[in-house]
Amino acid sequence: MHDGPARPETPPRRGRRPGRNTTREAVLAAARRRFASDGFKGATIRGIAADAGVDAALVMQFFRSKEELFGAVMSISPAALARIAAAFGGPVDSVGERVARAHLALWDSDSEDSAALLAMLRGAIANEQANTQLREFLESRLAGEARQEPAWSGPDGAVRVALAASMLVGIAVGRHAVGVAVLAEESTETLVSRVGPALQLLLVPR
């Protein structure tokens, strides 16, 4: 009996290639693990990329910096980070006031960004690793912007930036986490008028 010409073998079906959203989620999952295990300062884009099975350049396509990646992990929008960065634009002699206003307005707003920051803050109070992550994140944001302005640089620049970050975190703790009545009841602008000059002296020493 003649069976006819042999049929060509059907190539095995390949699984669907991971899409952009799937890859982005894999990067976020890897970043969460790295930030949790290594802290903000210890985690690297290269290490996160290796954990996610992608190239480091692809991680940078999704997230332009480690700070933005950390913000995404903590559900802080790029727009919120951009508002903080924008505070460093403009005249140097009023940067303290602008930075104070941008930070306090973000913490005080009724938004998803504020909710994410407050969740980070509460975690930082209860967990030393989370405390370190939050402090290093704010220091990195401040230092990154300060490096763009020669007037803020100097041998003690890192110390001044660390003090500024600690001040901002401390105000948030007293105002939102601990609920110190005097701080909680004050308006954002009143606090800006008090905190701005102190930040000015730290960021732009005379």
Side-chain angles (χ1 to χ4, degrees), residues 60-131:
M60 296 302 290
Q61 287 181 21
F62 287 124
F63 310 98
R64 292 168 294 183
S65 66
K66 186 167 74 168
E67 291 81 11
E68 187 170 309
L69 175 55
F70 183 80
V73 166
M74 299 300 173
S75 301
I76 304 170
S77 70
L81 298 179
R83 286 195 294 275
I84 298 296
F88 286 87
V92 173
D93 59 4
S94 57
V95 67
E97 179 182 325
R98 293 195 305 274
V99 170
R101 180 175 290 107
H103 274 271
L104 292 173
L106 182 57
W107 286 98
D108 292 348
S109 67
D110 184 16
S111 67
E112 292 183 3
D113 292 315
S114 175
L117 283 168
L118 292 175
M120 288 171 60
L121 186 63
R122 294 185 182 103
I125 292 173
N127 182 281
E128 183 178 350
Q129 177 74 335
N131 183 305

Short mmCIF file of all heavy atoms in Angstrom, two decimals, residues 60-131:
data_model
loop_
_atom_site.label_atom_id
_atom_site.label_comp_id
_atom_site.label_asym_id
_atom_site.label_seq_id
_atom_site.Cartn_x
_atom_site.Cartn_y
_atom_site.Cartn_z
N MET A 60 17.54 50.34 31.76
CA MET A 60 17.63 51.79 31.66
C MET A 60 16.64 52.37 30.65
O MET A 60 16.29 53.54 30.70
CB MET A 60 19.05 52.21 31.29
CG MET A 60 20.08 51.84 32.35
SD MET A 60 19.69 52.56 33.98
CE MET A 60 20.02 54.29 33.66
N GLN A 61 16.19 51.54 29.70
CA GLN A 61 15.13 51.99 28.79
C GLN A 61 13.81 52.13 29.54
O GLN A 61 13.03 53.06 29.29
CB GLN A 61 14.97 51.00 27.63
CG GLN A 61 16.09 51.05 26.62
CD GLN A 61 15.87 50.07 25.48
OE1 GLN A 61 14.74 49.65 25.22
NE2 GLN A 61 16.94 49.68 24.81
N PHE A 62 13.56 51.21 30.44
CA PHE A 62 12.32 51.26 31.23
C PHE A 62 12.40 52.35 32.29
O PHE A 62 11.45 53.09 32.52
CB PHE A 62 12.07 49.92 31.91
CG PHE A 62 11.63 48.82 30.98
CD1 PHE A 62 12.33 47.62 30.92
CD2 PHE A 62 10.51 48.96 30.19
CE1 PHE A 62 11.92 46.60 30.08
CE2 PHE A 62 10.09 47.94 29.34
CZ PHE A 62 10.80 46.76 29.28
N PHE A 63 13.56 52.41 32.97
CA PHE A 63 13.73 53.32 34.10
C PHE A 63 15.06 54.04 33.91
O PHE A 63 16.11 53.42 33.84
CB PHE A 63 13.74 52.53 35.42
CG PHE A 63 12.60 51.57 35.55
CD1 PHE A 63 12.77 50.23 35.25
CD2 PHE A 63 11.35 52.01 35.95
CE1 PHE A 63 11.72 49.34 35.35
CE2 PHE A 63 10.28 51.13 36.06
CZ PHE A 63 10.47 49.79 35.76
N ARG A 64 15.02 55.35 33.86
CA ARG A 64 16.19 56.12 33.46
C ARG A 64 17.28 56.18 34.52
O ARG A 64 18.40 56.60 34.24
CB ARG A 64 15.76 57.54 33.08
CG ARG A 64 14.93 57.59 31.81
CD ARG A 64 14.28 58.94 31.62
NE ARG A 64 13.29 59.20 32.66
CZ ARG A 64 12.54 60.29 32.70
NH1 ARG A 64 12.70 61.23 31.78
NH2 ARG A 64 11.65 60.46 33.66
N SER A 65 16.99 55.76 35.74
CA SER A 65 17.99 55.80 36.80
C SER A 65 17.59 54.80 37.89
O SER A 65 16.46 54.30 37.92
CB SER A 65 18.08 57.20 37.40
OG SER A 65 16.86 57.53 38.07
N LYS A 66 18.54 54.53 38.78
CA LYS A 66 18.22 53.64 39.91
C LYS A 66 17.17 54.28 40.80
O LYS A 66 16.31 53.58 41.35
CB LYS A 66 19.49 53.32 40.70
CG LYS A 66 19.25 52.27 41.79
CD LYS A 66 20.54 51.73 42.37
CE LYS A 66 21.22 52.71 43.27
NZ LYS A 66 22.34 52.10 44.05
N GLU A 67 17.22 55.61 40.93
CA GLU A 67 16.23 56.31 41.74
C GLU A 67 14.83 56.14 41.17
O GLU A 67 13.86 55.91 41.90
CB GLU A 67 16.57 57.80 41.84
CG GLU A 67 17.81 58.11 42.67
CD GLU A 67 19.08 57.91 41.88
OE1 GLU A 67 19.02 57.75 40.64
OE2 GLU A 67 20.15 57.89 42.48
N GLU A 68 14.71 56.24 39.84
CA GLU A 68 13.39 56.08 39.22
C GLU A 68 12.91 54.64 39.35
O GLU A 68 11.72 54.39 39.56
CB GLU A 68 13.45 56.48 37.75
CG GLU A 68 12.08 56.50 37.09
CD GLU A 68 12.08 57.13 35.71
OE1 GLU A 68 12.61 58.26 35.58
OE2 GLU A 68 11.55 56.51 34.78
N LEU A 69 13.83 53.68 39.25
CA LEU A 69 13.46 52.27 39.44
C LEU A 69 12.98 52.04 40.87
O LEU A 69 11.97 51.36 41.09
CB LEU A 69 14.66 51.38 39.12
CG LEU A 69 14.49 49.87 39.38
CD1 LEU A 69 13.28 49.32 38.64
CD2 LEU A 69 15.75 49.12 38.97
N PHE A 70 13.68 52.60 41.84
CA PHE A 70 13.26 52.46 43.23
C PHE A 70 11.89 53.10 43.43
O PHE A 70 11.03 52.56 44.13
CB PHE A 70 14.29 53.13 44.15
CG PHE A 70 13.99 52.99 45.61
CD1 PHE A 70 14.30 51.82 46.29
CD2 PHE A 70 13.40 54.02 46.32
CE1 PHE A 70 14.03 51.69 47.65
CE2 PHE A 70 13.13 53.90 47.67
CZ PHE A 70 13.44 52.73 48.34
N GLY A 71 11.70 54.27 42.81
CA GLY A 71 10.40 54.93 42.90
C GLY A 71 9.29 54.06 42.34
O GLY A 71 8.19 53.99 42.90
N ALA A 72 9.57 53.38 41.22
CA ALA A 72 8.56 52.50 40.62
C ALA A 72 8.26 51.31 41.53
O ALA A 72 7.10 50.91 41.68
CB ALA A 72 9.04 52.02 39.25
N VAL A 73 9.29 50.75 42.14
CA VAL A 73 9.09 49.64 43.07
C VAL A 73 8.21 50.07 44.23
O VAL A 73 7.34 49.32 44.69
CB VAL A 73 10.45 49.12 43.58
CG1 VAL A 73 10.27 48.21 44.78
CG2 VAL A 73 11.20 48.39 42.47
N MET A 74 8.41 51.29 44.68
CA MET A 74 7.65 51.81 45.81
C MET A 74 6.38 52.54 45.38
O MET A 74 5.73 53.21 46.18
CB MET A 74 8.52 52.75 46.64
CG MET A 74 9.74 52.08 47.23
SD MET A 74 9.28 50.71 48.34
CE MET A 74 10.88 49.99 48.69
N SER A 75 6.06 52.44 44.08
CA SER A 75 4.83 53.04 43.52
C SER A 75 4.81 54.55 43.58
O SER A 75 3.77 55.17 43.79
CB SER A 75 3.58 52.47 44.24
OG SER A 75 3.51 51.08 44.12
N ILE A 76 5.99 55.17 43.41
CA ILE A 76 6.09 56.62 43.31
C ILE A 76 6.23 56.96 41.83
O ILE A 76 7.13 56.45 41.16
CB ILE A 76 7.28 57.16 44.10
CG1 ILE A 76 7.20 56.72 45.57
CG2 ILE A 76 7.36 58.68 44.00
CD1 ILE A 76 8.45 57.01 46.35
N SER A 77 5.37 57.81 41.32
CA SER A 77 5.34 58.07 39.89
C SER A 77 6.54 58.89 39.42
O SER A 77 7.10 59.69 40.20
CB SER A 77 4.06 58.83 39.52
OG SER A 77 4.12 60.15 40.03
N PRO A 78 6.96 58.71 38.16
CA PRO A 78 8.03 59.55 37.60
C PRO A 78 7.69 61.04 37.68
O PRO A 78 8.57 61.87 37.83
CB PRO A 78 8.13 59.08 36.15
CG PRO A 78 7.63 57.67 36.17
CD PRO A 78 6.54 57.67 37.22
N ALA A 79 6.40 61.38 37.57
CA ALA A 79 5.99 62.78 37.64
C ALA A 79 6.32 63.38 39.01
O ALA A 79 6.75 64.53 39.11
CB ALA A 79 4.50 62.91 37.36
N ALA A 80 6.13 62.59 40.06
CA ALA A 80 6.45 63.07 41.41
C ALA A 80 7.95 63.29 41.56
O ALA A 80 8.39 64.29 42.13
CB ALA A 80 5.96 62.07 42.46
N LEU A 81 8.74 62.36 41.02
CA LEU A 81 10.19 62.52 41.08
C LEU A 81 10.62 63.74 40.27
O LEU A 81 11.55 64.46 40.66
CB LEU A 81 10.88 61.27 40.54
CG LEU A 81 10.62 59.97 41.32
CD1 LEU A 81 11.34 58.81 40.65
CD2 LEU A 81 11.08 60.10 42.76
N ALA A 82 9.94 63.98 39.15
CA ALA A 82 10.28 65.13 38.31
C ALA A 82 9.99 66.44 39.03
O ALA A 82 10.72 67.43 38.87
CB ALA A 82 9.51 65.06 37.00
N ARG A 83 8.92 66.47 39.83
CA ARG A 83 8.61 67.69 40.58
C ARG A 83 9.69 68.01 41.61
O ARG A 83 10.03 69.18 41.84
CB ARG A 83 7.24 67.56 41.26
CG ARG A 83 6.06 67.65 40.30
CD ARG A 83 4.76 67.87 41.06
NE ARG A 83 4.38 66.76 41.88
CZ ARG A 83 3.69 65.69 41.45
NH1 ARG A 83 3.32 65.63 40.17
NH2 ARG A 83 3.36 64.71 42.27
N ILE A 84 10.24 66.97 42.21
CA ILE A 84 11.34 67.18 43.15
C ILE A 84 12.56 67.72 42.41
O ILE A 84 13.21 68.67 42.85
CB ILE A 84 11.70 65.87 43.88
CG1 ILE A 84 10.50 65.36 44.70
CG2 ILE A 84 12.92 66.07 44.77
CD1 ILE A 84 10.09 66.27 45.82
N ALA A 85 12.86 67.10 41.26
CA ALA A 85 14.01 67.55 40.48
C ALA A 85 13.84 68.99 40.01
O ALA A 85 14.80 69.78 40.01
CB ALA A 85 14.21 66.63 39.28
N ALA A 86 12.61 69.35 39.63
CA ALA A 86 12.36 70.71 39.12
C ALA A 86 12.59 71.76 40.20
O ALA A 86 12.89 72.92 39.88
CB ALA A 86 10.92 70.80 38.61
N ALA A 87 12.48 71.37 41.47
CA ALA A 87 12.68 72.33 42.55
C ALA A 87 14.11 72.87 42.57
O ALA A 87 14.37 73.94 43.12
CB ALA A 87 12.36 71.68 43.90
N PHE A 88 15.03 72.13 41.98
CA PHE A 88 16.43 72.56 41.96
C PHE A 88 16.71 73.54 40.83
O PHE A 88 17.81 74.10 40.75
CB PHE A 88 17.36 71.35 41.86
CG PHE A 88 17.44 70.57 43.14
CD1 PHE A 88 16.52 69.56 43.40
CD2 PHE A 88 18.42 70.82 44.07
CE1 PHE A 88 16.58 68.83 44.58
CE2 PHE A 88 18.49 70.10 45.24
CZ PHE A 88 17.56 69.11 45.51
N GLY A 89 15.75 73.76 39.94
CA GLY A 89 15.92 74.74 38.89
C GLY A 89 15.64 76.13 39.44
O GLY A 89 14.97 76.30 40.44
N GLY A 90 16.16 77.14 38.78
CA GLY A 90 15.92 78.50 39.23
C GLY A 90 17.07 79.06 40.04
O GLY A 90 18.13 78.43 40.16
N PRO A 91 16.88 80.24 40.63
CA PRO A 91 17.96 80.91 41.37
C PRO A 91 18.48 80.08 42.53
O PRO A 91 17.71 79.48 43.28
CB PRO A 91 17.29 82.19 41.87
CG PRO A 91 16.11 82.40 40.98
CD PRO A 91 15.64 81.04 40.60
N VAL A 92 19.80 80.07 42.69
CA VAL A 92 20.43 79.30 43.76
C VAL A 92 20.05 79.86 45.13
O VAL A 92 19.92 79.11 46.10
CB VAL A 92 21.97 79.32 43.58
CG1 VAL A 92 22.66 78.67 44.77
CG2 VAL A 92 22.35 78.58 42.31
N ASP A 93 19.83 81.17 45.22
CA ASP A 93 19.59 81.77 46.53
C ASP A 93 18.21 81.49 47.11
O ASP A 93 17.90 81.92 48.22
CB ASP A 93 19.84 83.28 46.48
CG ASP A 93 18.95 83.99 45.46
OD1 ASP A 93 18.09 83.32 44.86
OD2 ASP A 93 19.13 85.20 45.27
N SER A 94 17.38 80.76 46.38
CA SER A 94 16.06 80.40 46.93
C SER A 94 15.78 78.90 46.79
O SER A 94 14.64 78.46 46.89
CB SER A 94 14.95 81.19 46.23
OG SER A 94 14.97 80.98 44.83
N VAL A 95 16.85 78.11 46.57
CA VAL A 95 16.66 76.68 46.35
C VAL A 95 16.13 75.99 47.60
O VAL A 95 15.34 75.04 47.52
CB VAL A 95 17.97 76.01 45.87
CG1 VAL A 95 19.04 76.03 46.95
CG2 VAL A 95 17.71 74.59 45.40
N GLY A 96 16.54 76.44 48.79
CA GLY A 96 16.07 75.80 50.01
C GLY A 96 14.56 75.85 50.14
O GLY A 96 13.92 74.86 50.50
N GLU A 97 13.99 77.00 49.84
CA GLU A 97 12.54 77.16 49.92
C GLU A 97 11.84 76.27 48.90
O GLU A 97 10.82 75.63 49.21
CB GLU A 97 12.17 78.62 49.68
CG GLU A 97 10.67 78.89 49.72
CD GLU A 97 10.34 80.35 49.43
OE1 GLU A 97 11.15 81.22 49.84
OE2 GLU A 97 9.31 80.61 48.80
N ARG A 98 12.37 76.23 47.68
CA ARG A 98 11.72 75.42 46.64
C ARG A 98 11.78 73.93 46.96
O ARG A 98 10.81 73.19 46.76
CB ARG A 98 12.37 75.69 45.28
CG ARG A 98 12.15 77.10 44.75
CD ARG A 98 12.50 77.18 43.26
NE ARG A 98 13.85 76.73 42.99
CZ ARG A 98 14.94 77.50 43.09
NH1 ARG A 98 14.82 78.76 43.47
NH2 ARG A 98 16.13 77.02 42.80
N VAL A 99 12.92 73.47 47.45
CA VAL A 99 13.07 72.05 47.80
C VAL A 99 12.14 71.71 48.97
O VAL A 99 11.47 70.67 48.96
CB VAL A 99 14.53 71.72 48.15
CG1 VAL A 99 14.65 70.33 48.76
CG2 VAL A 99 15.40 71.82 46.91
N ALA A 100 12.09 72.56 49.97
CA ALA A 100 11.20 72.32 51.11
C ALA A 100 9.75 72.24 50.65
O ALA A 100 9.01 71.33 51.05
CB ALA A 100 11.37 73.43 52.15
N ARG A 101 9.33 73.17 49.80
CA ARG A 101 7.95 73.19 49.33
C ARG A 101 7.63 71.94 48.51
O ARG A 101 6.57 71.33 48.67
CB ARG A 101 7.68 74.44 48.52
CG ARG A 101 6.23 74.51 48.01
CD ARG A 101 5.93 75.82 47.30
NE ARG A 101 5.90 76.94 48.24
CZ ARG A 101 6.85 77.88 48.34
NH1 ARG A 101 7.91 77.84 47.54
NH2 ARG A 101 6.75 78.85 49.22
N ALA A 102 8.53 71.56 47.62
CA ALA A 102 8.28 70.39 46.76
C ALA A 102 8.15 69.12 47.58
O ALA A 102 7.24 68.31 47.35
CB ALA A 102 9.40 70.25 45.73
N HIS A 103 9.04 68.94 48.55
CA HIS A 103 9.00 67.73 49.37
C HIS A 103 7.77 67.72 50.27
O HIS A 103 7.04 66.72 50.33
CB HIS A 103 10.27 67.62 50.22
CG HIS A 103 11.40 66.95 49.51
ND1 HIS A 103 11.59 65.58 49.54
CD2 HIS A 103 12.39 67.44 48.74
CE1 HIS A 103 12.65 65.27 48.83
NE2 HIS A 103 13.16 66.38 48.34
N LEU A 104 7.53 68.82 50.97
CA LEU A 104 6.40 68.85 51.90
C LEU A 104 5.07 68.74 51.17
O LEU A 104 4.14 68.06 51.64
CB LEU A 104 6.44 70.13 52.73
CG LEU A 104 7.60 70.22 53.73
CD1 LEU A 104 7.64 71.60 54.38
CD2 LEU A 104 7.51 69.13 54.78
N ALA A 105 4.96 69.39 50.00
CA ALA A 105 3.72 69.31 49.23
C ALA A 105 3.46 67.88 48.77
O ALA A 105 2.30 67.43 48.74
CB ALA A 105 3.79 70.25 48.02
N LEU A 106 4.52 67.17 48.44
CA LEU A 106 4.34 65.77 48.01
C LEU A 106 3.88 64.90 49.16
O LEU A 106 2.95 64.09 49.02
CB LEU A 106 5.66 65.25 47.44
CG LEU A 106 5.64 63.82 46.88
CD1 LEU A 106 4.60 63.69 45.78
CD2 LEU A 106 7.03 63.45 46.36
N TRP A 107 4.48 65.05 50.34
CA TRP A 107 4.06 64.27 51.50
C TRP A 107 2.63 64.62 51.91
O TRP A 107 1.87 63.76 52.35
CB TRP A 107 4.99 64.55 52.68
CG TRP A 107 6.35 63.93 52.59
CD1 TRP A 107 7.50 64.55 52.19
CD2 TRP A 107 6.72 62.58 52.91
NE1 TRP A 107 8.54 63.67 52.23
CE2 TRP A 107 8.10 62.47 52.68
CE3 TRP A 107 6.01 61.48 53.39
CZ2 TRP A 107 8.81 61.27 52.90
CZ3 TRP A 107 6.70 60.30 53.61
CH2 TRP A 107 8.08 60.20 53.36
N ASP A 108 2.27 65.91 51.79
CA ASP A 108 0.97 66.36 52.29
C ASP A 108 -0.18 66.15 51.31
O ASP A 108 -1.34 66.30 51.67
CB ASP A 108 1.03 67.87 52.61
CG ASP A 108 1.94 68.17 53.80
OD1 ASP A 108 2.32 67.21 54.50
OD2 ASP A 108 2.26 69.35 54.03
N SER A 109 0.13 65.84 50.05
CA SER A 109 -0.91 65.74 49.03
C SER A 109 -1.78 64.50 49.25
O SER A 109 -1.37 63.52 49.87
CB SER A 109 -0.29 65.67 47.64
OG SER A 109 0.44 64.46 47.47
N ASP A 110 -2.99 64.58 48.74
CA ASP A 110 -3.91 63.44 48.80
C ASP A 110 -3.79 62.69 47.47
O ASP A 110 -4.61 62.83 46.58
CB ASP A 110 -5.34 63.94 49.01
CG ASP A 110 -6.33 62.79 49.17
OD1 ASP A 110 -5.88 61.66 49.41
OD2 ASP A 110 -7.54 63.04 49.02
N SER A 111 -2.72 61.91 47.34
CA SER A 111 -2.44 61.24 46.07
C SER A 111 -1.86 59.86 46.33
O SER A 111 -1.48 59.51 47.45
CB SER A 111 -1.44 62.07 45.25
OG SER A 111 -0.18 62.08 45.89
N GLU A 112 -1.76 59.07 45.25
CA GLU A 112 -1.14 57.75 45.36
C GLU A 112 0.34 57.87 45.72
O GLU A 112 0.89 57.02 46.42
CB GLU A 112 -1.31 56.98 44.05
CG GLU A 112 -2.76 56.60 43.74
CD GLU A 112 -2.88 55.79 42.47
OE1 GLU A 112 -1.84 55.48 41.85
OE2 GLU A 112 -4.02 55.46 42.09
N ASP A 113 0.98 58.93 45.22
CA ASP A 113 2.39 59.13 45.55
C ASP A 113 2.57 59.35 47.04
O ASP A 113 3.48 58.80 47.67
CB ASP A 113 2.95 60.34 44.78
CG ASP A 113 3.03 60.08 43.29
OD1 ASP A 113 3.49 59.00 42.90
OD2 ASP A 113 2.62 60.96 42.51
N SER A 114 1.70 60.17 47.63
CA SER A 114 1.78 60.43 49.06
C SER A 114 1.53 59.15 49.84
O SER A 114 2.23 58.86 50.83
CB SER A 114 0.74 61.48 49.45
OG SER A 114 0.72 61.66 50.85
N ALA A 115 0.56 58.36 49.41
CA ALA A 115 0.26 57.10 50.10
C ALA A 115 1.45 56.16 50.05
O ALA A 115 1.77 55.48 51.04
CB ALA A 115 -0.97 56.45 49.47
N ALA A 116 2.13 56.12 48.91
CA ALA A 116 3.30 55.25 48.77
C ALA A 116 4.43 55.72 49.68
O ALA A 116 5.10 54.91 50.33
CB ALA A 116 3.77 55.23 47.31
N LEU A 117 4.65 57.03 49.73
CA LEU A 117 5.69 57.58 50.59
C LEU A 117 5.40 57.30 52.07
O LEU A 117 6.29 56.94 52.84
CB LEU A 117 5.82 59.08 50.36
CG LEU A 117 6.57 59.50 49.09
CD1 LEU A 117 6.36 60.99 48.83
CD2 LEU A 117 8.06 59.18 49.22
N LEU A 118 4.15 57.46 52.45
CA LEU A 118 3.78 57.22 53.85
C LEU A 118 3.94 55.75 54.21
O LEU A 118 4.33 55.41 55.33
CB LEU A 118 2.34 57.68 54.10
CG LEU A 118 2.13 59.19 54.04
CD1 LEU A 118 0.64 59.52 54.18
CD2 LEU A 118 2.92 59.89 55.13
N ALA A 119 3.66 54.86 53.25
CA ALA A 119 3.86 53.42 53.49
C ALA A 119 5.35 53.14 53.69
O ALA A 119 5.75 52.36 54.56
CB ALA A 119 3.32 52.61 52.32
N MET A 120 6.20 53.80 52.86
CA MET A 120 7.64 53.66 53.03
C MET A 120 8.07 54.17 54.40
O MET A 120 8.90 53.56 55.07
CB MET A 120 8.37 54.47 51.94
CG MET A 120 8.30 53.88 50.55
SD MET A 120 8.97 55.05 49.31
CE MET A 120 10.65 55.24 49.91
N LEU A 121 7.50 55.30 54.79
CA LEU A 121 7.88 55.92 56.06
C LEU A 121 7.52 55.01 57.24
O LEU A 121 8.33 54.82 58.16
CB LEU A 121 7.17 57.26 56.19
CG LEU A 121 7.54 58.12 57.39
CD1 LEU A 121 9.01 58.52 57.32
CD2 LEU A 121 6.66 59.36 57.45
N ARG A 122 6.31 54.47 57.23
CA ARG A 122 5.89 53.58 58.32
C ARG A 122 6.76 52.32 58.36
O ARG A 122 7.10 51.83 59.43
CB ARG A 122 4.41 53.23 58.16
CG ARG A 122 3.51 54.45 58.34
CD ARG A 122 2.03 54.10 58.32
NE ARG A 122 1.21 55.28 58.45
CZ ARG A 122 0.57 55.87 57.45
NH1 ARG A 122 0.64 55.35 56.22
NH2 ARG A 122 -0.15 56.96 57.64
N GLY A 123 7.11 51.82 57.18
CA GLY A 123 8.00 50.67 57.12
C GLY A 123 9.38 51.01 57.67
O GLY A 123 10.02 50.19 58.33
N ALA A 124 9.84 52.24 57.40
CA ALA A 124 11.16 52.66 57.85
C ALA A 124 11.22 52.75 59.37
O ALA A 124 12.26 52.49 59.98
CB ALA A 124 11.52 54.01 57.24
N ILE A 125 10.11 53.13 59.99
CA ILE A 125 10.07 53.23 61.44
C ILE A 125 10.18 51.85 62.08
O ILE A 125 10.84 51.67 63.11
CB ILE A 125 8.78 53.94 61.90
CG1 ILE A 125 8.82 55.41 61.46
CG2 ILE A 125 8.61 53.84 63.41
CD1 ILE A 125 7.52 56.15 61.71
N ALA A 126 9.55 50.87 61.46
CA ALA A 126 9.51 49.53 62.05
C ALA A 126 10.68 48.65 61.63
O ALA A 126 10.97 47.66 62.29
CB ALA A 126 8.20 48.84 61.64
N ASN A 127 11.37 49.03 60.55
CA ASN A 127 12.38 48.13 59.98
C ASN A 127 13.64 48.92 59.65
O ASN A 127 13.59 49.90 58.91
CB ASN A 127 11.82 47.46 58.72
CG ASN A 127 12.78 46.47 58.11
OD1 ASN A 127 13.70 46.86 57.43
ND2 ASN A 127 12.54 45.20 58.35
N GLU A 128 14.77 48.50 60.20
CA GLU A 128 16.03 49.23 60.00
C GLU A 128 16.44 49.25 58.53
O GLU A 128 16.94 50.25 58.02
CB GLU A 128 17.13 48.61 60.85
CG GLU A 128 18.46 49.36 60.75
CD GLU A 128 19.53 48.76 61.64
OE1 GLU A 128 19.19 47.90 62.47
OE2 GLU A 128 20.69 49.15 61.49
N GLN A 129 16.24 48.12 57.83
CA GLN A 129 16.61 48.06 56.41
C GLN A 129 15.77 49.03 55.60
O GLN A 129 16.29 49.74 54.73
CB GLN A 129 16.41 46.63 55.88
CG GLN A 129 16.69 46.47 54.37
CD GLN A 129 18.16 46.49 54.05
OE1 GLN A 129 18.97 47.06 54.78
NE2 GLN A 129 18.53 45.88 52.94
N ALA A 130 14.48 49.11 55.90
CA ALA A 130 13.61 50.05 55.18
C ALA A 130 14.01 51.49 55.51
O ALA A 130 13.95 52.37 54.65
CB ALA A 130 12.15 49.81 55.56
N ASN A 131 14.42 51.73 56.73
CA ASN A 131 14.88 53.05 57.14
C ASN A 131 16.10 53.46 56.31
O ASN A 131 16.19 54.58 55.80
CB ASN A 131 15.23 53.03 58.64
CG ASN A 131 15.65 54.38 59.17
OD1 ASN A 131 16.56 55.00 58.64
ND2 ASN A 131 14.99 54.84 60.21
#
